[in-house]
Amino acid sequence: MEPKTPSRRGRARSDARTPLTPSLATALGNISLNPFVSSRPSSPIKRATSGAIPVSDALQRQAGTGVIRRGGIESRLDVVTRDYVPPKPELKRSRSTPASARRDRFITNRDTDSDVAPTLDNLHLNPQSASPGHTARLVAATGVPLNRRILAYHEPPPAASSSSDPALAQHREFARPLYAQRNASIPNSVSATKSRKIPTQPERVLDAPGLVDDFYLNLLAWSPLNSVAVALEASTYIWKADTGAVTQLADAPEGTYVSSVDFSNDGAFLGIGVGTGDVELWDVETAQKLRTMSGHQGQVATLSWHQHILTSGCGDGSIWHHDVRVPRHKVMELLGHTGEVCGLRWRSDGELLASGGNDNVVNIWDGRVGDVAEGARGSAKWTKRNHTAAVKAVAWCPWQPSLLASGGGTNDATINVWNTTTGARLHSLKTPSQITSLLWAPSKKEILSTHGFPTNALMVHAYPSMERVAEIRDAHDARVLFSCLSPNGDVVCTGAGDENLKFWRIWDAGAEKTKKKKIASASGDVGGGRINSTREGILSIR
């Protein structure tokens, strides 16, 4: 049986009959015998190098238009003038993936050639597109050359020294009043420090024999009715600044002593803490004792009023709220101190209560008592342990209710100012001696501090810079233990272990009270009232 494929002998006879001419050999050379290899012509570059078909400029122009003429034959081609760019796939992200995956809001990592936003180098004045006259006027007005960055990072210029340039210092001194605050509701004291003069001598001195020299007690208070209460051992006296009259209000039980005094908000009642732990309530006008509230197991070293609530701090570390209107006076107990409570002060709105103790702790309590039972207990909102000594001095700022100032004892001697809203410590000032009391100025951004050994001083500090505005060294012959502010807010009364009460005019009462102050100074008034002066300038309180 014959095979289906042609035999070699047949192909040989065919090759012998058909002569292989050069043109036919060339044509056969361009035909590929492999069916799996495409027969597309080689690239023009390779064809030019091989010498088969030379590529000229005319041929390239014809290829660009889509028509090629070669040897009388015209061929039309579909020329693609733009490459196909596939669309970018949409980024599918989860909810936790940010929308901008490759860029950052503040630190960009894009290429400088991106068309999203120009770089800073491209942001410059273009004199070709802008008006030449406008560009020239803009350059002359700003003083900035063309194509130069306006904002750039440089080293800060050296500070001008007044000693090296006296003319510059003189000009600054002349221009200083132009930058002073004029319409501020509460003036700062920094700009007025040079012109302010605080007298270094007291206006009046009262003799207070028997004033106990004890750091932890609070034996001095000034009422809104312009009366000063002072405790001398077992007796409590009232000195009226309007008339200068002195009356004995109360006597402590036999064998004990008075440890603290404080007036009610209207000045009609006086709370008296006793060494046995009792708290007495007295009517100032009638000089009668209204009630005695017992329960504490130690001396009541500090008292503070808010409306009908009289708060007492005890030597055992407890703080009680007494409602003076009801028979069962104890309505709440605050536990947050492990040592004696020696500093206690309500905020004027009654929402917060500050306490300081011998355990070096400052506590800030929520003052909203509400309807509570007899055994109710409260916890501190903020507890501060930054002091390293007993904290007796606590004071609320009258013009910024969220500010609380506290001062530490001998081993601390530091004033801290707290933000009671956030609990943060805003300022801290180291002083040279023990801090016994703090008073904020009602009409000025200043704070006064009284000190013990070794300075026995009164110091006035500016706020918030905490710079020292004035200092009265050796204000008393012993450490200054107690202080209180007059209702007008201009006179400070201080008491010390030298058994004297001294009145210092630290601040101005205000523009409306200037005339009254001048008349009062001429007639011998202190704190809005008049006292009976003597030749020696010392009034015996007994």
Side-chain angles (χ1 to χ4, degrees), residues 261-297:
V261 294
D262 192 42
F263 282 102
S264 61
N265 299 131
D266 56 1
F269 304 99
L270 180 68
I272 299 177
V274 187
T276 58
D278 295 338
V279 178
E280 299 179 353
L281 183 62
W282 288 78
D283 190 323
V284 178
E285 186 67 25
T286 61
Q288 293 182 357
K289 183 170 71 171
L290 303 179
R291 64 183 302 180
T292 299
M293 297 173 287
S294 305
H296 280 299
Q297 302 300 319

Side-chain angles (χ1 to χ4, degrees), residues 180-384:
Q181 295 184 359
R182 300 184 181 276
N183 297 325
S185 58
I186 300 177
N188 291 328
S189 61
V190 178
S191 60
T193 302
K194 295 183 179 181
S195 60
R196 281 189 60 196
K197 291 183 179 180
I198 296 179
T200 57
Q201 296 297 325
E203 289 192 351
R204 293 293 182 270
V205 179
L206 296 180
D207 184 23
L211 189 63
V212 180
D213 187 1
D214 192 335
F215 170 81
Y216 298 97
L217 306 185
N218 293 269
L219 306 177
L220 194 62
W222 203 326
S223 79
L225 301 179
N226 207 17
S227 298
V228 178
V230 58
L232 305 179
E233 294 180 347
S235 301
T236 303
Y237 293 87
I238 301 294
W239 176 76
K240 295 185 178 181
D242 295 333
T243 62
V246 178
T247 58
Q248 183 176 352
L249 181 66
D251 281 326
E254 186 178 356
T256 185
Y257 56 93
V258 177
S259 54
S260 59
V261 294
D262 192 42
F263 282 102
S264 61
N265 299 131
D266 56 1
F269 304 99
L270 180 68
I272 299 177
V274 187
T276 58
D278 295 338
V279 178
E280 299 179 353
L281 183 62
W282 288 78
D283 190 323
V284 178
E285 186 67 25
T286 61
Q288 293 182 357
K289 183 170 71 171
L290 303 179
R291 64 183 302 180
T292 299
M293 297 173 287
S294 305
H296 280 299
Q297 302 300 319
Q299 71 172 4
V300 180
T302 179
L303 295 171
S304 184
W305 280 87
H306 176 64
Q307 296 180 355
H308 56 275
I309 299 296
L310 176 58
T311 305
S312 58
C314 182
D316 60 2
S318 63
I319 300 173
W320 286 14
H321 289 326
H322 306 272
D323 192 338
V324 299
R325 306 171 300 175
V326 296
R328 294 186 177 182
H329 54 87
K330 179 184 175 183
V331 294
M332 182 173 284
E333 182 178 4
L334 307 178
L335 298 177
H337 290 278
T338 57
E340 179 178 9
V341 180
C342 52
L344 201 61
R345 192 66 58 194
W346 277 96
R347 200 167 75 174
S348 59
D349 57 3
E351 293 188 1
L352 293 177
L353 173 71
S355 64
N358 195 23
D359 53 356
N360 311 342
V361 173
V362 177
N363 281 326
I364 302 171
W365 312 82
D366 190 344
R368 294 169 292 183
V369 178
D371 297 332
V372 294
E374 181 180 355
R377 296 184 177 182
S379 58
K381 179 182 178 181
W382 303 107
T383 298
K384 301 300 176 182

Side-chain angles (χ1 to χ4, degrees), residues 443-526:
S443 58
K444 207 175 195 59
K445 290 185 178 180
E446 291 179 353
I447 184 171
L448 178 139
S449 58
T450 61
H451 300 267
F453 293 120
T455 60
N456 301 335
L458 274 66
M459 299 176 64
V460 181
H461 314 274
Y463 187 84
S465 64
M466 302 304 289
E467 295 179 356
R468 186 180 306 178
V469 177
E471 181 182 8
I472 304 176
R473 285 275 183 133
D474 297 324
H476 286 264
D477 295 335
R479 56 180 179 171
V480 184
L481 295 174
F482 322 109
S483 69
C484 55
L485 187 62
S486 67
N488 288 344
D490 55 349
V491 178
V492 174
C493 177
T494 58
D498 57 358
E499 299 183 346
N500 285 326
L501 299 182
K502 295 184 179 182
F503 296 85
W504 313 83
R505 190 172 298 277
I506 305 297
W507 296 294
D508 295 332
E512 298 179 357
K513 302 178 182 179
T514 304
K515 296 182 179 180
K516 295 182 180 180
K517 185 187 70 173
K518 292 181 179 179
I519 298 174
S521 300
S523 58
D525 288 5
V526 172

